[in-house]
Amino acid sequence: QEVTSKVNVVFEKPFIDTQYAITANASLPGITVSVTQRQRYSAVLTVERRQSGSTCEGWVHWIARGH
């Protein structure tokens, strides 16, 4: 059973539009991070873990680039 969480990333400065590039990954194997929403001021990342179980702790790393 998959476990899914949402992470809201708020940028220090807004982009001029939503045509910026953003990518993200997790520090642990077996975790998938997807960009599911993009706005000028923020983005939403969906973090999916393929198997539920004990507590999973790690980092989500992201970078966004654009105008």
Side-chain angles (χ1 to χ4, degrees):
Q1 178 178 341
E2 288 186 355
V3 177
T4 302
S5 299
K6 303 280 186 194
V7 176
N8 191 39
V9 176
V10 179
F11 307 127
E12 289 181 20
K13 293 182 184 179
F15 289 99
I16 61 170
D17 56 32
T18 59
Q19 299 304 309
Y20 56 87
I22 182 169
T23 187
N25 68 341
S27 62
L28 298 173
I31 307 292
T32 303
V33 182
S34 304
V35 179
T36 51
Q37 287 184 349
R38 227 192 294 203
Q39 299 165 0
R40 289 181 54 229
Y41 293 88
S42 65
V44 176
L45 307 177
T46 299
V47 182
E48 294 178 282
R49 183 172 157 199
R50 296 190 182 167
Q51 295 180 347
S52 61
S54 61
T55 303
C56 179
E57 294 183 17
W59 294 93
V60 171
H61 303 280
W62 62 268
I63 186 168
R65 188 87 174 158
H67 297 283

